[in-house]
Amino acid sequence: MDSREMAICGIGAVTGYGWGREHLWDGLTSGKPAAGLEAGYGAQPEEPGWVAKVADGGNPVDGPSRFARAMRAAAREAIADAGERGWQPGKRVGLLHAVVLGEVDLWREFYLDRGGDVRPREYLGLMPSTPMSTFMQEYGFHGPAMNVSAMCASGNAGLLTAKAWLDAGIVDDVVFVATDVSATQENVRHFVRLGVAVTDTEPLEACRPFQEGSRGFLVGEAAVAFVLSRNATRPYAMALGGAMSHDGYHVTSVDPDLRQVRGCFRDALANAGVPAAAVRYLNAHGPGTKQCDTAEATILEQEFGAATGVYSVKPLVGHCQGAASAVEVSVAALGYDRGYIPAPPAVAPGHPQLLTGRVPVGDGLTVKSSLGMGGHNSVVVLGPPA
């Protein structure tokens, strides 16, 4: 294995499709969105709306909330999966946890239902360190443990931080988890008011990245975990490099001159040591909003060839906020392993390079872009295992 490369050795997932990696893959392969009608998410409080929430589940021992249980379940599945594929942990296993809003359900209950009066043990469950601490205790890992936060780009940021740790020799392996279980009625309502989220229309009608008539995204929830290492015998995919930058322009809007976005793509390819001509797939941020889709379509056309296909799985799994790019990286990695990309079906006229339905995966590279709210740009370059 090239000293610059980091292998994705194991994958775990909890999404709106269910608790487990195979539920995610089967759901995407079906071409049917994970979102369902949920009470209280419509235009009026008494009306239902479309959202891809994580159902209650997991092991109660992992904590009282969906957030803690999903985080632990995804990480546990990734570790078991990596072990089955030949990975053995080194002496220094680190933990990275991508979190934006964190433990929303319990903080909501703390303030609104309990008036701030909880037992000390319950209060500890609100702390972001608690699920990380219990996880490290479970496996006896003693490497560094840290939260990562870069809005919707947090998944890419976590992968690049893990690679930096490995490059620097700080760790031998990294377990990386991205968790976002924050789709409360209040949070979703405000994304709708911002004009980017949609709850009043079926997912494929509302969210059409790179197609005519797209209105925005459906909100989703997820926890996705990876085991990342240079000691892999049967990896899913290789993370060759990447880059991050910031627009420094606006709290919600992408800088229209795209200077920083374009620079991030170019820096990612340079960091990975690969030419743009080697990129076969753009696994896009693709939320279905006009400004993001326009930005990525422009980059696709100006920086890559006509043979580079573009896709976004947000119409199916939803926009999973702080876990979004981790979900989407898992799709690219599983696609290399299983031989095809489960792209959403196109429902309207769209970009000529847009992939639709099951697309056989070749040997080309995948660029995974993620544009986080507030100007966070991130690009990761992925390749098939040797």
PDB file of all heavy atoms in Angstrom, residues 35-44 47-52 183-185 187-193 195-203 206-207 215-220:
ATOM      1  N   ALA A  35     -37.220   8.573   3.457  1.00  0.00           N
ATOM      2  CA  ALA A  35     -38.126   9.475   4.164  1.00  0.00           C
ATOM      3  C   ALA A  35     -39.548   8.939   4.179  1.00  0.00           C
ATOM      4  O   ALA A  35     -40.000   8.273   3.246  1.00  0.00           O
ATOM      5  CB  ALA A  35     -38.112  10.859   3.520  1.00  0.00           C
ATOM      6  N   GLY A  36     -40.231   9.242   5.266  1.00  0.00           N
ATOM      7  CA  GLY A  36     -41.640   8.928   5.392  1.00  0.00           C
ATOM      8  C   GLY A  36     -42.368  10.117   5.980  1.00  0.00           C
ATOM      9  O   GLY A  36     -41.755  11.091   6.426  1.00  0.00           O
ATOM     10  N   LEU A  37     -43.674  10.060   5.970  1.00  0.00           N
ATOM     11  CA  LEU A  37     -44.477  11.124   6.560  1.00  0.00           C
ATOM     12  C   LEU A  37     -44.442  11.008   8.076  1.00  0.00           C
ATOM     13  O   LEU A  37     -44.756   9.951   8.633  1.00  0.00           O
ATOM     14  CB  LEU A  37     -45.919  11.050   6.054  1.00  0.00           C
ATOM     15  CG  LEU A  37     -46.181  11.645   4.666  1.00  0.00           C
ATOM     16  CD1 LEU A  37     -47.591  11.292   4.224  1.00  0.00           C
ATOM     17  CD2 LEU A  37     -45.970  13.155   4.676  1.00  0.00           C
ATOM     18  N   GLU A  38     -44.034  12.089   8.733  1.00  0.00           N
ATOM     19  CA  GLU A  38     -43.927  12.129  10.187  1.00  0.00           C
ATOM     20  C   GLU A  38     -44.830  13.227  10.726  1.00  0.00           C
ATOM     21  O   GLU A  38     -44.863  14.350  10.191  1.00  0.00           O
ATOM     22  CB  GLU A  38     -42.477  12.404  10.612  1.00  0.00           C
ATOM     23  CG  GLU A  38     -41.480  11.347  10.177  1.00  0.00           C
ATOM     24  CD  GLU A  38     -41.459  10.129  11.089  1.00  0.00           C
ATOM     25  OE1 GLU A  38     -42.085  10.197  12.185  1.00  0.00           O
ATOM     26  OE2 GLU A  38     -40.825   9.122  10.721  1.00  0.00           O
ATOM     27  N   ALA A  39     -45.539  12.932  11.788  1.00  0.00           N
ATOM     28  CA  ALA A  39     -46.455  13.905  12.386  1.00  0.00           C
ATOM     29  C   ALA A  39     -45.694  15.134  12.863  1.00  0.00           C
ATOM     30  O   ALA A  39     -44.607  15.021  13.445  1.00  0.00           O
ATOM     31  CB  ALA A  39     -47.210  13.263  13.552  1.00  0.00           C
ATOM     32  N   GLY A  40     -46.271  16.300  12.620  1.00  0.00           N
ATOM     33  CA  GLY A  40     -45.720  17.542  13.136  1.00  0.00           C
ATOM     34  C   GLY A  40     -44.660  18.195  12.290  1.00  0.00           C
ATOM     35  O   GLY A  40     -44.088  19.212  12.689  1.00  0.00           O
ATOM     36  N   TYR A  41     -44.374  17.648  11.107  1.00  0.00           N
ATOM     37  CA  TYR A  41     -43.323  18.203  10.250  1.00  0.00           C
ATOM     38  C   TYR A  41     -43.864  18.965   9.044  1.00  0.00           C
ATOM     39  O   TYR A  41     -43.103  19.368   8.175  1.00  0.00           O
ATOM     40  CB  TYR A  41     -42.383  17.090   9.772  1.00  0.00           C
ATOM     41  CG  TYR A  41     -41.436  16.621  10.846  1.00  0.00           C
ATOM     42  CD1 TYR A  41     -41.806  15.619  11.734  1.00  0.00           C
ATOM     43  CD2 TYR A  41     -40.170  17.183  10.981  1.00  0.00           C
ATOM     44  CE1 TYR A  41     -40.941  15.180  12.724  1.00  0.00           C
ATOM     45  CE2 TYR A  41     -39.292  16.748  11.966  1.00  0.00           C
ATOM     46  CZ  TYR A  41     -39.689  15.748  12.837  1.00  0.00           C
ATOM     47  OH  TYR A  41     -38.836  15.322  13.826  1.00  0.00           O
ATOM     48  N   GLY A  42     -45.164  19.183   8.995  1.00  0.00           N
ATOM     49  CA  GLY A  42     -45.752  19.878   7.874  1.00  0.00           C
ATOM     50  C   GLY A  42     -45.696  21.387   8.027  1.00  0.00           C
ATOM     51  O   GLY A  42     -45.084  21.927   8.958  1.00  0.00           O
ATOM     52  N   ALA A  43     -46.382  22.070   7.116  1.00  0.00           N
ATOM     53  CA  ALA A  43     -46.389  23.536   7.133  1.00  0.00           C
ATOM     54  C   ALA A  43     -47.039  24.069   8.404  1.00  0.00           C
ATOM     55  O   ALA A  43     -46.668  25.128   8.907  1.00  0.00           O
ATOM     56  CB  ALA A  43     -47.123  24.059   5.897  1.00  0.00           C
ATOM     57  N   GLN A  44     -48.004  23.323   8.937  1.00  0.00           N
ATOM     58  CA  GLN A  44     -48.640  23.649  10.202  1.00  0.00           C
ATOM     59  C   GLN A  44     -48.280  22.578  11.223  1.00  0.00           C
ATOM     60  O   GLN A  44     -48.086  21.416  10.858  1.00  0.00           O
ATOM     61  CB  GLN A  44     -50.161  23.748  10.034  1.00  0.00           C
ATOM     62  CG  GLN A  44     -50.611  24.785   9.024  1.00  0.00           C
ATOM     63  CD  GLN A  44     -50.203  26.193   9.406  1.00  0.00           C
ATOM     64  OE1 GLN A  44     -50.202  26.545  10.604  1.00  0.00           O
ATOM     65  NE2 GLN A  44     -49.846  27.013   8.415  1.00  0.00           N
ATOM     66  N   GLU A  47     -49.825  19.178  10.952  1.00  0.00           N
ATOM     67  CA  GLU A  47     -49.736  18.476   9.685  1.00  0.00           C
ATOM     68  C   GLU A  47     -48.488  17.596   9.616  1.00  0.00           C
ATOM     69  O   GLU A  47     -47.442  17.937  10.179  1.00  0.00           O
ATOM     70  CB  GLU A  47     -49.710  19.481   8.529  1.00  0.00           C
ATOM     71  CG  GLU A  47     -50.982  20.289   8.379  1.00  0.00           C
ATOM     72  CD  GLU A  47     -50.884  21.322   7.269  1.00  0.00           C
ATOM     73  OE1 GLU A  47     -49.769  21.494   6.710  1.00  0.00           O
ATOM     74  OE2 GLU A  47     -51.912  21.957   6.975  1.00  0.00           O
ATOM     75  N   PRO A  48     -48.566  16.471   8.884  1.00  0.00           N
ATOM     76  CA  PRO A  48     -47.372  15.632   8.710  1.00  0.00           C
ATOM     77  C   PRO A  48     -46.465  16.202   7.622  1.00  0.00           C
ATOM     78  O   PRO A  48     -46.882  17.015   6.795  1.00  0.00           O
ATOM     79  CB  PRO A  48     -47.952  14.281   8.285  1.00  0.00           C
ATOM     80  CG  PRO A  48     -49.213  14.649   7.554  1.00  0.00           C
ATOM     81  CD  PRO A  48     -49.758  15.871   8.266  1.00  0.00           C
ATOM     82  N   GLY A  49     -45.210  15.777   7.641  1.00  0.00           N
ATOM     83  CA  GLY A  49     -44.258  16.185   6.617  1.00  0.00           C
ATOM     84  C   GLY A  49     -43.259  15.079   6.367  1.00  0.00           C
ATOM     85  O   GLY A  49     -43.131  14.136   7.172  1.00  0.00           O
ATOM     86  N   TRP A  50     -42.518  15.192   5.271  1.00  0.00           N
ATOM     87  CA  TRP A  50     -41.556  14.166   4.867  1.00  0.00           C
ATOM     88  C   TRP A  50     -40.203  14.411   5.531  1.00  0.00           C
ATOM     89  O   TRP A  50     -39.637  15.496   5.439  1.00  0.00           O
ATOM     90  CB  TRP A  50     -41.382  14.161   3.358  1.00  0.00           C
ATOM     91  CG  TRP A  50     -42.609  13.722   2.624  1.00  0.00           C
ATOM     92  CD1 TRP A  50     -43.612  14.509   2.142  1.00  0.00           C
ATOM     93  CD2 TRP A  50     -42.960  12.382   2.288  1.00  0.00           C
ATOM     94  NE1 TRP A  50     -44.571  13.745   1.530  1.00  0.00           N
ATOM     95  CE2 TRP A  50     -44.199  12.433   1.593  1.00  0.00           C
ATOM     96  CE3 TRP A  50     -42.359  11.138   2.497  1.00  0.00           C
ATOM     97  CZ2 TRP A  50     -44.838  11.292   1.115  1.00  0.00           C
ATOM     98  CZ3 TRP A  50     -42.991  10.007   2.015  1.00  0.00           C
ATOM     99  CH2 TRP A  50     -44.204  10.074   1.336  1.00  0.00           C
ATOM    100  N   VAL A  51     -39.665  13.387   6.199  1.00  0.00           N
ATOM    101  CA  VAL A  51     -38.348  13.457   6.830  1.00  0.00           C
ATOM    102  C   VAL A  51     -37.819  12.035   6.990  1.00  0.00           C
ATOM    103  O   VAL A  51     -38.599  11.087   7.187  1.00  0.00           O
ATOM    104  CB  VAL A  51     -38.418  14.186   8.199  1.00  0.00           C
ATOM    105  CG1 VAL A  51     -39.312  13.441   9.175  1.00  0.00           C
ATOM    106  CG2 VAL A  51     -37.034  14.396   8.784  1.00  0.00           C
ATOM    107  N   ALA A  52     -36.500  11.856   6.872  1.00  0.00           N
ATOM    108  CA  ALA A  52     -35.872  10.528   6.967  1.00  0.00           C
ATOM    109  C   ALA A  52     -35.226  10.377   8.340  1.00  0.00           C
ATOM    110  O   ALA A  52     -34.007  10.514   8.500  1.00  0.00           O
ATOM    111  CB  ALA A  52     -34.847  10.334   5.854  1.00  0.00           C
ATOM    112  N   ALA A 183     -32.985  15.883  13.708  1.00  0.00           N
ATOM    113  CA  ALA A 183     -34.143  16.322  12.928  1.00  0.00           C
ATOM    114  C   ALA A 183     -35.388  16.472  13.808  1.00  0.00           C
ATOM    115  O   ALA A 183     -36.415  15.829  13.589  1.00  0.00           O
ATOM    116  CB  ALA A 183     -34.412  15.354  11.782  1.00  0.00           C
ATOM    117  N   THR A 184     -35.286  17.344  14.807  1.00  0.00           N
ATOM    118  CA  THR A 184     -36.472  17.677  15.583  1.00  0.00           C
ATOM    119  C   THR A 184     -37.381  18.564  14.735  1.00  0.00           C
ATOM    120  O   THR A 184     -36.957  19.149  13.736  1.00  0.00           O
ATOM    121  CB  THR A 184     -36.102  18.430  16.869  1.00  0.00           C
ATOM    122  OG1 THR A 184     -35.463  19.666  16.507  1.00  0.00           O
ATOM    123  CG2 THR A 184     -35.162  17.612  17.744  1.00  0.00           C
ATOM    124  N   GLN A 185     -38.623  18.680  15.152  1.00  0.00           N
ATOM    125  CA  GLN A 185     -39.567  19.515  14.411  1.00  0.00           C
ATOM    126  C   GLN A 185     -39.064  20.956  14.318  1.00  0.00           C
ATOM    127  O   GLN A 185     -39.174  21.598  13.266  1.00  0.00           O
ATOM    128  CB  GLN A 185     -40.934  19.457  15.087  1.00  0.00           C
ATOM    129  CG  GLN A 185     -41.563  18.078  15.022  1.00  0.00           C
ATOM    130  CD  GLN A 185     -42.815  17.969  15.879  1.00  0.00           C
ATOM    131  OE1 GLN A 185     -43.243  18.943  16.493  1.00  0.00           O
ATOM    132  NE2 GLN A 185     -43.407  16.786  15.921  1.00  0.00           N
ATOM    133  N   ASN A 187     -35.884  22.131  14.431  1.00  0.00           N
ATOM    134  CA  ASN A 187     -34.743  22.277  13.533  1.00  0.00           C
ATOM    135  C   ASN A 187     -35.160  22.182  12.075  1.00  0.00           C
ATOM    136  O   ASN A 187     -34.715  22.970  11.228  1.00  0.00           O
ATOM    137  CB  ASN A 187     -33.681  21.221  13.849  1.00  0.00           C
ATOM    138  CG  ASN A 187     -32.865  21.561  15.072  1.00  0.00           C
ATOM    139  OD1 ASN A 187     -32.687  22.718  15.411  1.00  0.00           O
ATOM    140  ND2 ASN A 187     -32.361  20.544  15.747  1.00  0.00           N
ATOM    141  N   VAL A 188     -35.988  21.202  11.760  1.00  0.00           N
ATOM    142  CA  VAL A 188     -36.431  21.039  10.382  1.00  0.00           C
ATOM    143  C   VAL A 188     -37.234  22.257   9.926  1.00  0.00           C
ATOM    144  O   VAL A 188     -37.057  22.758   8.810  1.00  0.00           O
ATOM    145  CB  VAL A 188     -37.253  19.748  10.227  1.00  0.00           C
ATOM    146  CG1 VAL A 188     -37.857  19.654   8.825  1.00  0.00           C
ATOM    147  CG2 VAL A 188     -36.380  18.527  10.500  1.00  0.00           C
ATOM    148  N   ARG A 189     -38.104  22.764  10.789  1.00  0.00           N
ATOM    149  CA  ARG A 189     -38.928  23.921  10.435  1.00  0.00           C
ATOM    150  C   ARG A 189     -38.066  25.115  10.040  1.00  0.00           C
ATOM    151  O   ARG A 189     -38.377  25.843   9.095  1.00  0.00           O
ATOM    152  CB  ARG A 189     -39.840  24.284  11.610  1.00  0.00           C
ATOM    153  CG  ARG A 189     -40.858  25.387  11.289  1.00  0.00           C
ATOM    154  CD  ARG A 189     -41.791  25.637  12.470  1.00  0.00           C
ATOM    155  NE  ARG A 189     -42.447  24.407  12.883  1.00  0.00           N
ATOM    156  CZ  ARG A 189     -42.350  23.879  14.114  1.00  0.00           C
ATOM    157  NH1 ARG A 189     -41.631  24.479  15.050  1.00  0.00           N
ATOM    158  NH2 ARG A 189     -42.974  22.767  14.404  1.00  0.00           N
ATOM    159  N   HIS A 190     -36.955  25.312  10.741  1.00  0.00           N
ATOM    160  CA  HIS A 190     -36.105  26.463  10.428  1.00  0.00           C
ATOM    161  C   HIS A 190     -35.324  26.270   9.132  1.00  0.00           C
ATOM    162  O   HIS A 190     -35.061  27.243   8.410  1.00  0.00           O
ATOM    163  CB  HIS A 190     -35.188  26.789  11.604  1.00  0.00           C
ATOM    164  CG  HIS A 190     -35.889  27.540  12.694  1.00  0.00           C
ATOM    165  ND1 HIS A 190     -36.609  26.914  13.674  1.00  0.00           N
ATOM    166  CD2 HIS A 190     -36.022  28.862  12.923  1.00  0.00           C
ATOM    167  CE1 HIS A 190     -37.140  27.826  14.483  1.00  0.00           C
ATOM    168  NE2 HIS A 190     -36.799  29.016  14.039  1.00  0.00           N
ATOM    169  N   PHE A 191     -34.957  25.059   8.790  1.00  0.00           N
ATOM    170  CA  PHE A 191     -34.341  24.831   7.482  1.00  0.00           C
ATOM    171  C   PHE A 191     -35.348  25.086   6.362  1.00  0.00           C
ATOM    172  O   PHE A 191     -34.985  25.586   5.291  1.00  0.00           O
ATOM    173  CB  PHE A 191     -33.775  23.413   7.387  1.00  0.00           C
ATOM    174  CG  PHE A 191     -32.397  23.270   7.966  1.00  0.00           C
ATOM    175  CD1 PHE A 191     -32.181  22.593   9.161  1.00  0.00           C
ATOM    176  CD2 PHE A 191     -31.303  23.813   7.312  1.00  0.00           C
ATOM    177  CE1 PHE A 191     -30.913  22.473   9.692  1.00  0.00           C
ATOM    178  CE2 PHE A 191     -30.022  23.693   7.828  1.00  0.00           C
ATOM    179  CZ  PHE A 191     -29.830  23.021   9.030  1.00  0.00           C
ATOM    180  N   VAL A 192     -36.617  24.750   6.610  1.00  0.00           N
ATOM    181  CA  VAL A 192     -37.655  25.063   5.630  1.00  0.00           C
ATOM    182  C   VAL A 192     -37.780  26.577   5.481  1.00  0.00           C
ATOM    183  O   VAL A 192     -37.867  27.110   4.370  1.00  0.00           O
ATOM    184  CB  VAL A 192     -39.006  24.442   6.046  1.00  0.00           C
ATOM    185  CG1 VAL A 192     -40.130  24.919   5.126  1.00  0.00           C
ATOM    186  CG2 VAL A 192     -38.923  22.913   6.022  1.00  0.00           C
ATOM    187  N   ARG A 193     -37.760  27.303   6.592  1.00  0.00           N
ATOM    188  CA  ARG A 193     -37.876  28.760   6.550  1.00  0.00           C
ATOM    189  C   ARG A 193     -36.682  29.407   5.853  1.00  0.00           C
ATOM    190  O   ARG A 193     -36.811  30.474   5.237  1.00  0.00           O
ATOM    191  CB  ARG A 193     -38.011  29.319   7.969  1.00  0.00           C
ATOM    192  CG  ARG A 193     -39.353  29.014   8.626  1.00  0.00           C
ATOM    193  CD  ARG A 193     -39.372  29.475  10.063  1.00  0.00           C
ATOM    194  NE  ARG A 193     -40.668  29.232  10.691  1.00  0.00           N
ATOM    195  CZ  ARG A 193     -40.922  29.425  11.988  1.00  0.00           C
ATOM    196  NH1 ARG A 193     -39.952  29.884  12.790  1.00  0.00           N
ATOM    197  NH2 ARG A 193     -42.124  29.184  12.465  1.00  0.00           N
ATOM    198  N   GLY A 195     -35.435  28.271   3.301  1.00  0.00           N
ATOM    199  CA  GLY A 195     -35.656  28.051   1.878  1.00  0.00           C
ATOM    200  C   GLY A 195     -34.838  26.948   1.258  1.00  0.00           C
ATOM    201  O   GLY A 195     -34.733  26.869   0.026  1.00  0.00           O
ATOM    202  N   VAL A 196     -34.248  26.057   2.098  1.00  0.00           N
ATOM    203  CA  VAL A 196     -33.406  24.990   1.556  1.00  0.00           C
ATOM    204  C   VAL A 196     -33.992  23.597   1.762  1.00  0.00           C
ATOM    205  O   VAL A 196     -33.680  22.674   1.002  1.00  0.00           O
ATOM    206  CB  VAL A 196     -31.984  25.048   2.146  1.00  0.00           C
ATOM    207  CG1 VAL A 196     -31.262  26.305   1.691  1.00  0.00           C
ATOM    208  CG2 VAL A 196     -32.002  24.967   3.673  1.00  0.00           C
ATOM    209  N   ALA A 197     -34.814  23.409   2.781  1.00  0.00           N
ATOM    210  CA  ALA A 197     -35.415  22.105   3.055  1.00  0.00           C
ATOM    211  C   ALA A 197     -36.870  22.088   2.628  1.00  0.00           C
ATOM    212  O   ALA A 197     -37.550  23.117   2.606  1.00  0.00           O
ATOM    213  CB  ALA A 197     -35.294  21.759   4.534  1.00  0.00           C
ATOM    214  N   VAL A 198     -37.341  20.887   2.308  1.00  0.00           N
ATOM    215  CA  VAL A 198     -38.707  20.688   1.845  1.00  0.00           C
ATOM    216  C   VAL A 198     -39.318  19.535   2.629  1.00  0.00           C
ATOM    217  O   VAL A 198     -38.692  18.477   2.777  1.00  0.00           O
ATOM    218  CB  VAL A 198     -38.735  20.360   0.338  1.00  0.00           C
ATOM    219  CG1 VAL A 198     -40.165  20.195  -0.152  1.00  0.00           C
ATOM    220  CG2 VAL A 198     -38.017  21.430  -0.471  1.00  0.00           C
ATOM    221  N   THR A 199     -40.529  19.725   3.137  1.00  0.00           N
ATOM    222  CA  THR A 199     -41.230  18.647   3.850  1.00  0.00           C
ATOM    223  C   THR A 199     -42.609  18.357   3.279  1.00  0.00           C
ATOM    224  O   THR A 199     -43.235  17.378   3.674  1.00  0.00           O
ATOM    225  CB  THR A 199     -41.407  19.000   5.347  1.00  0.00           C
ATOM    226  OG1 THR A 199     -42.229  20.173   5.475  1.00  0.00           O
ATOM    227  CG2 THR A 199     -40.074  19.236   6.035  1.00  0.00           C
ATOM    228  N   ASP A 200     -43.069  19.183   2.336  1.00  0.00           N
ATOM    229  CA  ASP A 200     -44.458  19.083   1.888  1.00  0.00           C
ATOM    230  C   ASP A 200     -44.640  18.284   0.607  1.00  0.00           C
ATOM    231  O   ASP A 200     -45.724  18.228   0.050  1.00  0.00           O
ATOM    232  CB  ASP A 200     -45.057  20.483   1.712  1.00  0.00           C
ATOM    233  CG  ASP A 200     -44.357  21.303   0.625  1.00  0.00           C
ATOM    234  OD1 ASP A 200     -43.367  20.803   0.040  1.00  0.00           O
ATOM    235  OD2 ASP A 200     -44.803  22.431   0.360  1.00  0.00           O
ATOM    236  N   THR A 201     -43.557  17.670   0.108  1.00  0.00           N
ATOM    237  CA  THR A 201     -43.613  16.944  -1.155  1.00  0.00           C
ATOM    238  C   THR A 201     -42.789  15.663  -1.046  1.00  0.00           C
ATOM    239  O   THR A 201     -41.790  15.626  -0.328  1.00  0.00           O
ATOM    240  CB  THR A 201     -43.039  17.805  -2.302  1.00  0.00           C
ATOM    241  OG1 THR A 201     -43.707  19.065  -2.317  1.00  0.00           O
ATOM    242  CG2 THR A 201     -43.226  17.134  -3.649  1.00  0.00           C
ATOM    243  N   GLU A 202     -43.186  14.638  -1.764  1.00  0.00           N
ATOM    244  CA  GLU A 202     -42.431  13.387  -1.755  1.00  0.00           C
ATOM    245  C   GLU A 202     -40.978  13.648  -2.183  1.00  0.00           C
ATOM    246  O   GLU A 202     -40.712  14.512  -3.031  1.00  0.00           O
ATOM    247  CB  GLU A 202     -43.083  12.369  -2.685  1.00  0.00           C
ATOM    248  CG  GLU A 202     -44.441  11.896  -2.185  1.00  0.00           C
ATOM    249  CD  GLU A 202     -44.944  10.701  -2.957  1.00  0.00           C
ATOM    250  OE1 GLU A 202     -44.116  10.043  -3.643  1.00  0.00           O
ATOM    251  OE2 GLU A 202     -46.144  10.410  -2.875  1.00  0.00           O
ATOM    252  N   PRO A 203     -40.038  12.886  -1.604  1.00  0.00           N
ATOM    253  CA  PRO A 203     -38.608  13.178  -1.776  1.00  0.00           C
ATOM    254  C   PRO A 203     -38.144  13.358  -3.214  1.00  0.00           C
ATOM    255  O   PRO A 203     -37.455  14.327  -3.534  1.00  0.00           O
ATOM    256  CB  PRO A 203     -37.929  11.978  -1.114  1.00  0.00           C
ATOM    257  CG  PRO A 203     -38.898  11.564  -0.059  1.00  0.00           C
ATOM    258  CD  PRO A 203     -40.256  11.790  -0.638  1.00  0.00           C
ATOM    259  N   ALA A 206     -39.291  16.618  -4.673  1.00  0.00           N
ATOM    260  CA  ALA A 206     -38.718  17.836  -4.089  1.00  0.00           C
ATOM    261  C   ALA A 206     -37.228  17.977  -4.356  1.00  0.00           C
ATOM    262  O   ALA A 206     -36.743  19.041  -4.741  1.00  0.00           O
ATOM    263  CB  ALA A 206     -38.973  17.849  -2.587  1.00  0.00           C
ATOM    264  N   CYS A 207     -36.481  16.896  -4.142  1.00  0.00           N
ATOM    265  CA  CYS A 207     -35.016  16.929  -4.209  1.00  0.00           C
ATOM    266  C   CYS A 207     -34.556  16.259  -5.499  1.00  0.00           C
ATOM    267  O   CYS A 207     -34.604  15.032  -5.614  1.00  0.00           O
ATOM    268  CB  CYS A 207     -34.425  16.237  -2.983  1.00  0.00           C
ATOM    269  SG  CYS A 207     -32.616  16.297  -2.907  1.00  0.00           S
ATOM    270  N   ARG A 215     -36.303  21.664  -5.579  1.00  0.00           N
ATOM    271  CA  ARG A 215     -36.664  22.711  -4.625  1.00  0.00           C
ATOM    272  C   ARG A 215     -35.750  22.740  -3.403  1.00  0.00           C
ATOM    273  O   ARG A 215     -35.851  23.640  -2.575  1.00  0.00           O
ATOM    274  CB  ARG A 215     -38.104  22.491  -4.155  1.00  0.00           C
ATOM    275  CG  ARG A 215     -39.154  22.684  -5.237  1.00  0.00           C
ATOM    276  CD  ARG A 215     -40.525  22.282  -4.742  1.00  0.00           C
ATOM    277  NE  ARG A 215     -40.857  22.989  -3.504  1.00  0.00           N
ATOM    278  CZ  ARG A 215     -41.781  22.553  -2.633  1.00  0.00           C
ATOM    279  NH1 ARG A 215     -42.444  21.433  -2.870  1.00  0.00           N
ATOM    280  NH2 ARG A 215     -42.027  23.240  -1.536  1.00  0.00           N
ATOM    281  N   GLY A 216     -34.903  21.755  -3.231  1.00  0.00           N
ATOM    282  CA  GLY A 216     -34.061  21.692  -2.040  1.00  0.00           C
ATOM    283  C   GLY A 216     -33.906  20.252  -1.598  1.00  0.00           C
ATOM    284  O   GLY A 216     -33.930  19.333  -2.414  1.00  0.00           O
ATOM    285  N   PHE A 217     -33.767  20.041  -0.289  1.00  0.00           N
ATOM    286  CA  PHE A 217     -33.511  18.691   0.216  1.00  0.00           C
ATOM    287  C   PHE A 217     -34.531  18.278   1.273  1.00  0.00           C
ATOM    288  O   PHE A 217     -35.169  19.104   1.909  1.00  0.00           O
ATOM    289  CB  PHE A 217     -32.095  18.568   0.772  1.00  0.00           C
ATOM    290  CG  PHE A 217     -31.759  19.565   1.866  1.00  0.00           C
ATOM    291  CD1 PHE A 217     -32.198  19.387   3.174  1.00  0.00           C
ATOM    292  CD2 PHE A 217     -30.975  20.674   1.578  1.00  0.00           C
ATOM    293  CE1 PHE A 217     -31.881  20.290   4.169  1.00  0.00           C
ATOM    294  CE2 PHE A 217     -30.656  21.595   2.569  1.00  0.00           C
ATOM    295  CZ  PHE A 217     -31.102  21.407   3.874  1.00  0.00           C
ATOM    296  N   LEU A 218     -34.650  16.959   1.433  1.00  0.00           N
ATOM    297  CA  LEU A 218     -35.363  16.375   2.558  1.00  0.00           C
ATOM    298  C   LEU A 218     -34.356  16.173   3.684  1.00  0.00           C
ATOM    299  O   LEU A 218     -33.226  15.742   3.436  1.00  0.00           O
ATOM    300  CB  LEU A 218     -35.976  15.022   2.179  1.00  0.00           C
ATOM    301  CG  LEU A 218     -37.347  15.014   1.502  1.00  0.00           C
ATOM    302  CD1 LEU A 218     -38.436  15.421   2.468  1.00  0.00           C
ATOM    303  CD2 LEU A 218     -37.360  15.844   0.239  1.00  0.00           C
ATOM    304  N   VAL A 219     -34.739  16.475   4.902  1.00  0.00           N
ATOM    305  CA  VAL A 219     -33.825  16.323   6.038  1.00  0.00           C
ATOM    306  C   VAL A 219     -33.760  14.856   6.455  1.00  0.00           C
ATOM    307  O   VAL A 219     -34.781  14.171   6.519  1.00  0.00           O
ATOM    308  CB  VAL A 219     -34.273  17.201   7.219  1.00  0.00           C
ATOM    309  CG1 VAL A 219     -33.364  16.976   8.433  1.00  0.00           C
ATOM    310  CG2 VAL A 219     -34.268  18.675   6.815  1.00  0.00           C
ATOM    311  N   GLY A 220     -32.549  14.376   6.726  1.00  0.00           N
ATOM    312  CA  GLY A 220     -32.349  13.005   7.182  1.00  0.00           C
ATOM    313  C   GLY A 220     -31.497  12.960   8.433  1.00  0.00           C
ATOM    314  O   GLY A 220     -30.951  13.978   8.878  1.00  0.00           O
TER     315      GLY A 220
END
